[in-house]
Amino acid sequence: MNPSKAGKISQFVQARIARLSHIHNESMLAATLAKLRRGIGKEPGSLPELWEVTLDGLPETLQGNDDRPSFGERAVHTALTLFALHQQSKDIKEKWMCEPGASLGGAMREMIRRNPDREMAITRRFVAAVTADGYEELVWHLRGLVQLLRTEELKLDYPQLAKELFEYQYPDRRDRIRLQWGRQFYRQSAQDHSDNRSDDKE
């Protein structure tokens, strides 16, 4: 695997989301996001109305050369369609749901911090996602997690997620991405415990 490809994935998704943010015609933006949402769980390229957003301008090194989508095409498609789901019903000027540094694990830990009574259920759903046996199963679980994050108005770094989704598709890199997600989740947890100890001393 060429490590530079992951960086190109992230840059492409960042540029696409930035382009969406500059669509000033609200009805046009809503229509574009709605089209993207219809692509969740579907193969890249299967919906021609999405080609302009998900495929146009994709670096040649990330494109497939046979009748199956490449790992890069899948990662871009998944990240952009999940972003559209996350942005649903949100005012683009007030609630932009993509934020640099907002990791998947960190966002799920913040959800637990806000909903401590649901810690076991949220943790179970997060673990089910990161331990998914294949890419399709992972995407199915991520859809549910993004819906939870949307309800809590917690943001995600979608360029970073796209990079992780790209690497996840390589079997020899999958455990490294899982470890990364786990560290994000429990690093925040350690901070929570530190805060709790400080509260106990007061």
Side-chain angles (χ1 to χ4, degrees), residues 4 7 23 30-32 35 37 44 56 66 69 71 78 86 89 92 96 104 109 118 154 160 164 172 187 191 196:
S4 67
I23 297 177
T32 301
K35 289 177 183 178
R37 285 193 291 274
D56 182 34
D66 55 24
F71 289 174
T78 301
H86 205 158
S89 303
I92 197 169
W96 192 242
L104 177 62
R109 172 49 57 179
R118 296 170 56 199
L154 289 167
Q160 176 64 27
E164 293 165 349
D172 62 334
R187 183 180 300 123
Q191 182 62 48
N196 289 337

Side-chain angles (χ1 to χ4, degrees), residues 1 71 133 166-178:
M1 185 189 72
F71 289 174
D133 289 332
F166 174 72
E167 295 186 345
Y168 177 93
Q169 294 174 79
Y170 290 88
D172 62 334
R173 304 291 288 174
R174 191 164 295 171
D175 283 345
R176 189 188 73 80
I177 295 302
R178 286 171 173 157

Side-chain angles (χ1 to χ4, degrees), residues 150-191:
R150 183 184 65 196
T151 299
E152 290 290 335
E153 298 189 344
L154 289 167
K155 302 179 180 182
L156 272 184
D157 185 336
Y158 279 93
Q160 176 64 27
L161 180 63
K163 181 179 177 180
E164 293 165 349
L165 290 171
F166 174 72
E167 295 186 345
Y168 177 93
Q169 294 174 79
Y170 290 88
D172 62 334
R173 304 291 288 174
R174 191 164 295 171
D175 283 345
R176 189 188 73 80
I177 295 302
R178 286 171 173 157
L179 175 61
Q180 185 171 303
W181 285 334
R183 284 172 171 168
Q184 293 165 359
F185 187 71
Y186 284 103
R187 183 180 300 123
Q188 185 62 42
S189 177
Q191 182 62 48

Side-chain angles (χ1 to χ4, degrees), residues 96-140:
W96 192 242
M97 304 313 292
C98 181
E99 182 173 282
S103 68
L104 177 62
M108 296 308 298
R109 172 49 57 179
E110 175 61 18
M111 181 174 294
I112 288 175
R113 191 189 69 78
R114 296 184 183 187
N115 302 276
D117 57 318
R118 296 170 56 199
E119 179 172 5
M120 289 184 62
I122 294 170
T123 300
R124 187 164 55 246
R125 294 186 68 169
F126 177 66
V127 171
V130 301
T131 58
D133 289 332
Y135 190 75
E136 292 76 13
E137 182 183 348
L138 171 64
V139 173
W140 187 85

